[in-house]
Amino acid sequence: MAKIIRFPVREQESVAYGNYTQLIEAALSKETLNFYMECIEESEKKGHFIEGESEKLLEQGRKRRLEMAKPVQTEKEVAESPGVYCYTPEMGQRKPDCQMEASRGYYGKHWYIDTPLSLKGRGITFLKKYTDNDFYMPGNYRVGWNEYRVTDRAFDKLKEQYTISQRCYLD
C-alpha cells in the first residue's frame, strides 16, 4: 500500500515584495521610510507585485511609522530628598516613586494632593478617600488614597518635608 504525503505549498511572493519588506524594517528615519512608501506605490503602478502584496507593505510601513513616532522611555528619576519632581509623559519620562502626587487647581489658587498619608494643618482640606468607583479602570493603585486641596503656603511647607511628583504636559 502506498501512502500519499502532502507537502505544504509555499506561497509565492514577488522579489520586489521581499526587498521592500526588508527595506521598511531597516529604515532609520521618517524621510527614508516615506521614500520607500512612494517607491512601493510606483512599483504597484508598474505591476511588480502579486495581488495583495502592496496592501501588506503599506500596512507594514504604517506600523513602522507609528513605532518611529513613539518617544524613547527614559529611566525613572530617583526621589531621594524632599521636593517636587516633575515629569513629562509625552517625552517618554516616567513618574518617579514619591510619597505624594500633586496637580495645580484650575484657577491656580490651590493644589490638589493625592497621597496614602494622612495630612493635617492650616491650609489643608480633606476632600475624599478614593474608592474603586472613582476610576475608569478597576484596580487603580490610588484606591484607598486620600485627596486634599492645599493652599500655596501649605504646599510650600509640604514640599520641604515630602517627595512630591507632578505631571507636566507640553502645551
Side-chain angles (χ1 to χ4, degrees), residues 34-91:
N34 289 336
F35 174 73
Y36 293 151
M37 301 304 281
E38 290 171 10
C39 291
I40 289 170
E41 290 173 5
E42 287 297 318
S43 296
E44 171 66 21
K45 290 177 186 175
K46 293 179 181 177
H48 293 202
F49 296 118
I50 298 174
E51 187 175 328
E53 287 181 338
S54 64
E55 290 83 14
K56 290 179 187 176
L57 286 171
L58 293 174
E59 183 62 29
Q60 181 185 1
R62 282 189 215 103
K63 287 180 183 177
R64 181 74 174 135
R65 203 176 273 141
L66 289 174
E67 288 173 13
M68 290 176 149
K70 288 182 183 176
V72 178
Q73 288 287 326
T74 59
E75 292 185 23
K76 282 185 182 181
E77 184 179 1
V78 179
E80 296 174 350
S81 60
V84 177
Y85 295 87
C86 296
Y87 67 99
T88 307
E90 295 133 330
M91 294 181 61

Side-chain angles (χ1 to χ4, degrees), residues 4-157:
I4 298 174
I5 301 173
R6 296 191 185 257
F7 292 100
V9 178
R10 184 175 170 199
E11 291 185 23
Q12 282 296 99
E13 66 180 37
S14 65
V15 175
Y17 177 79
N19 291 341
Y20 281 123
T21 300
Q22 293 174 7
L23 288 172
I24 289 171
E25 287 300 317
L28 298 176
S29 68
K30 293 176 189 174
E31 292 80 18
T32 306
L33 185 61
N34 289 336
F35 174 73
Y36 293 151
M37 301 304 281
E38 290 171 10
C39 291
I40 289 170
E41 290 173 5
E42 287 297 318
S43 296
E44 171 66 21
K45 290 177 186 175
K46 293 179 181 177
H48 293 202
F49 296 118
I50 298 174
E51 187 175 328
E53 287 181 338
S54 64
E55 290 83 14
K56 290 179 187 176
L57 286 171
L58 293 174
E59 183 62 29
Q60 181 185 1
R62 282 189 215 103
K63 287 180 183 177
R64 181 74 174 135
R65 203 176 273 141
L66 289 174
E67 288 173 13
M68 290 176 149
K70 288 182 183 176
V72 178
Q73 288 287 326
T74 59
E75 292 185 23
K76 282 185 182 181
E77 184 179 1
V78 179
E80 296 174 350
S81 60
V84 177
Y85 295 87
C86 296
Y87 67 99
T88 307
E90 295 133 330
M91 294 181 61
Q93 296 174 347
R94 293 195 281 169
K95 183 175 110 32
D97 294 326
C98 294
Q99 297 166 311
M100 299 179 183
E101 295 178 7
S103 61
R104 192 69 153 143
Y106 184 74
Y107 291 108
K109 293 183 179 180
H110 293 89
W111 288 88
Y112 289 91
I113 303 286
D114 296 333
T115 180
L117 306 172
S118 295
L119 302 176
K120 290 184 181 177
R122 181 179 289 177
I124 299 174
T125 307
F126 176 78
L127 297 176
K128 68 177 175 183
K129 189 176 222 41
Y130 285 117
T131 62
D132 217 14
N133 296 334
D134 292 323
F135 302 102
Y136 175 70
M137 298 290 289
N140 191 298
Y141 69 94
R142 289 186 292 170
V143 171
W145 283 28
N146 302 314
E147 181 183 22
Y148 296 95
R149 184 176 60 229
V150 178
T151 62
D152 286 333
R153 291 186 74 191
F155 184 75
D156 290 337
K157 292 189 180 199

